Amino acid sequence: MSAALDTRPATVIRAEARPYRLPFARPITTAQGRFDARTGWWIALHDSAGRVAWGEVAPWPGFGVGPAAAEADLPAALRALTGQ
């Protein structure tokens, strides 16, 4: 049995970021260095219909924006998602 797609219009009323750090079973090495964990932020968007959508911001060092720049940009991005 599949769930019906909820197509009700809604407005994002709250956006939040929760940091995470997930250790690797074994460190990995790339041209950018050695990494023993994956870090990022889970993003939760709460809408006016009571639904919550989850996403992720997890920049990988050396590929586009790095973690420090992403963290600095998060507050403004979250405010923009709620129209603030």
Side-chain angles (χ1 to χ4, degrees):
M1 175 191 241
S2 64
L5 180 62
D6 187 347
T7 60
R8 292 176 291 164
T11 302
V12 174
I13 59 171
R14 190 173 87 211
E16 59 184 303
R18 298 178 186 178
Y20 70 82
R21 182 179 187 280
L22 301 172
F24 294 138
R26 293 183 315 243
I28 63 169
T29 302
T30 72
Q32 300 300 317
R34 184 172 187 232
F35 300 95
D36 62 357
R38 181 77 165 141
T39 59
W41 298 266
W42 298 118
I43 306 299
L45 302 179
H46 302 262
D47 75 14
S48 57
R51 297 170 292 198
V52 179
W54 288 91
E56 175 186 32
V57 173
W60 194 252
F63 296 92
V65 165
E71 184 173 21
D73 290 341
L74 268 175
L78 296 175
R79 283 191 306 274
L81 288 166
T82 59
Q84 298 179 7

